[in-house]
Amino acid sequence: MQEQQGIYPAYHMNKIHWITVLLDGSVPKEKVFDLRLIFSSGGMPSSHSAVVTSLATSIGIAKGFASPEFALSAMLAFITMTDAAGVRRAAGRQAAVLNKIVQDMISGGKNLSSEKLKELLGHTPFEVIIGALLGVLIALLCM
């Protein structure tokens, strides 16, 4: 993580995945909280992982962990989480590279559209694991 004015590694947590944001006006308001992120893909935690693990856990509790329904839901969860951390994350990284290439071409005088590709598509493995744990917790609390 690169330190910016008002944004620092969280001293009380894992300094790679957690940050401290000073709310003293040194960080622009749109960087602190953006409601659009609630309805977008990517980020922490993985809502897809939470939903499919909650579904699998609920089915396991209701039908039994040896049931075919649980096996199907567990496979769905595995596929969804693998996709979130693999394919979709790779697509987001590729979008970042393409955005940089297009920006460099525009800076060089090419007449191209400045519309950017969405870069926040997938999840890191950590975000997927936290989403999965959240899903299990939700299922246990609701059953």
Side-chain angles (χ1 to χ4, degrees), residues 29-70:
K29 194 166 54 171
E30 56 275 356
K31 270 193 159 186
V32 175
F33 188 69
D34 186 354
L35 283 176
R36 294 174 296 184
L37 291 177
I38 293 173
F39 302 103
S40 68
S41 59
M44 170 70 94
S46 168
S47 59
H48 292 90
S49 297
V51 168
V52 293
T53 55
S54 183
L55 173 69
T57 304
S58 298
I59 290 173
I61 292 169
K63 298 279 189 173
F65 289 96
S67 69
E69 293 92 345
F70 173 73

Side-chain angles (χ1 to χ4, degrees), residues 60-127:
I61 292 169
K63 298 279 189 173
F65 289 96
S67 69
E69 293 92 345
F70 173 73
L72 240 142
S73 62
M75 285 308 298
L76 173 68
F78 176 76
I79 292 167
T80 301
M81 291 187 292
T82 301
D83 178 66
V87 177
R88 287 179 46 229
R89 184 165 182 230
R93 287 177 155 177
Q94 289 174 352
V97 170
L98 289 171
N99 285 338
K100 175 76 172 111
I101 291 169
V102 169
Q103 190 60 43
D104 289 347
M105 291 174 75
I106 291 171
S107 297
K110 297 280 184 189
N111 187 16
L112 298 172
S113 169
S114 61
E115 182 180 348
K116 288 190 161 208
L117 298 172
K118 185 172 182 177
E119 296 177 16
L120 188 61
L121 292 174
H123 298 281
T124 64
F126 182 73
E127 293 167 343

